[in-house]
Amino acid sequence: MPMKKRAFLVFLALSVFTLSGCAALQSLLSGAFKKPTLRFKTARLANASLSDATVDLVYELDNPNSLGLKLASVDYSFFVEGKQVVAGKPKSGVNLKSNGKSELVFPANVRFADIAPVVTTFLNKDVAAFKAQGSLGIQTPIGIVKLPLEKEGTFAVPKIPQVQFQAPRITNVTLSGATVEFPLSITNRNGFPLPVSGITGALKVAGASVGNLNTGNLGMLDASGTKQVTLPLTINFASAASAAMALRSGGNAQVSLNGNLTSDAQSVPLNLSQLVNFKK
């Protein structure tokens, strides 16, 4: 038999053997491989302010196989109140551990001004509706396995902090006026930290305009925490005659603050009115 023909037949035989071996191996792997499962865990807010927030959808992928897998592809869309927002993805190629569960986080940035024409209307809601849809591609020994990403639910809308006056303290009284320290209590009603850039507003005592208050940047309010700030103000009796009585002798008077609370880039109206006791 000519050498060339013999070599061709050997090559053909090896090819058939290799192909049949690969098919057998593929069949063996297919029979032994167990399909991973994907379970939704929670929707949580991160980096939230009164202007926007990151909504993290957290999934848990259970890989029952003794070999690690990789995330190969993500096709993912996220909607809030029926409007599509910018959705992020876990890194392609992220490793999924063997014989265990891996957490996958899908972040989406939600700008509240894109959801509602009046942001304060949105912020007065308790929850917002979301919808996630798409699929994951998992790289496995038997090829790419697709897992659906389908979930509808709600997440908590950031709540505007509660602002209250504490009892003001009169530190100095003269014939022409008085210096008063106005303590403010700012409470974060959210279970996550919230930045407050400041509170500003026009102050009235007993119906008379006495000046403006400005807290400056208050920084980050702790989750469910309260921050106290004291703002001194010198009040001229000539321009605030109705307030002079309460400020000279102490006692109760109505105090109101009309202004704004700012968180990140978003300002919301603040209209506060309380009957407080002035202490000397």
Side-chain angles (χ1 to χ4, degrees):
M1 182 182 296
M3 184 65 68
K4 286 185 179 181
K5 187 173 181 181
R6 185 182 303 157
F8 174 76
L9 290 175
V10 170
F11 174 76
L12 182 63
L14 286 173
S15 298
V16 170
F17 176 78
T18 301
L19 288 174
S20 62
C22 286
L25 179 61
Q26 188 79 359
S27 177
L28 179 64
L29 287 174
S30 179
F33 182 77
K34 298 176 182 177
K35 185 177 179 180
T37 56
L38 189 66
R39 180 180 72 87
F40 175 79
K41 287 181 67 178
T42 187
R44 66 192 182 200
L45 291 190
N47 304 319
S49 72
L50 297 185
S51 63
D52 66 346
T54 297
V55 182
D56 286 339
L57 257 61
V58 184
Y59 284 82
E60 186 176 74
L61 188 139
D62 186 5
N63 176 19
N65 301 284
S66 58
L67 55 102
L69 305 175
K70 285 190 175 182
L71 184 62
S73 64
V74 180
D75 178 19
Y76 176 60
S77 299
F78 190 75
F79 301 82
V80 176
E81 299 290 308
K83 297 183 179 180
Q84 187 169 2
V85 300
V86 177
K89 303 173 182 179
K91 292 180 180 179
S92 179
V94 65
N95 293 323
L96 306 171
K97 60 186 177 183
S98 60
N99 292 322
K101 298 173 181 178
S102 301
E103 187 174 89
L104 298 176
V105 179
F106 296 81
N109 181 256
V110 183
R111 295 181 67 254
F112 304 142
D114 295 337
I115 305 301
V118 180
V119 172
T120 50
T121 300
F122 180 81
L123 293 174
N124 284 323
K125 295 165 64 73
D126 290 327
V127 296
F130 73 81
K131 178 181 179 181
Q133 60 185 35
S135 64
L136 291 182
I138 308 298
Q139 182 69 56
T140 77
I142 60 172
I144 301 293
V145 172
K146 292 283 188 178
L147 300 176
L149 273 174
E150 301 289 342
K151 183 64 182 179
E152 294 187 33
T154 60
F155 63 86
V157 173
K159 296 178 177 62
I160 299 170
Q162 182 184 54
V163 182
Q164 289 182 310
F165 281 110
Q166 304 300 312
R169 182 171 176 265
I170 304 168
T171 59
N172 185 43
V173 180
T174 66
L175 293 175
S176 60
T179 300
V180 184
E181 293 179 343
F182 290 91
L184 280 179
S185 176
I186 304 101
T187 300
N188 182 5
R189 299 185 295 149
N190 301 286
F192 47 82
L194 190 78
V196 177
S197 304
I199 295 172
T200 59
L203 186 71
K204 289 184 178 180
V205 175
S209 296
V210 296
N212 295 299
L213 294 183
N214 187 340
T215 65
N217 193 335
L218 296 176
M220 193 72 71
L221 295 183
D222 293 335
S224 304
T226 298
K227 182 169 286 190
Q228 306 280 349
V229 58
T230 299
L231 305 173
L233 184 67
T234 299
I235 299 172
N236 189 320
F237 289 157
S239 60
S242 61
M245 182 74 71
L247 296 178
R248 284 195 177 111
S249 60
N252 294 331
Q254 196 75 21
V255 175
S256 62
L257 180 66
N258 295 313
N260 293 284
L261 183 150
T262 303
S263 172
D264 199 5
Q266 182 64 46
S267 289
V268 295
L270 179 64
N271 298 302
L272 180 63
S273 183
Q274 285 180 239
L275 182 67
V276 297
N277 180 257
F278 285 82
K279 297 180 178 180
K280 296 188 72 175

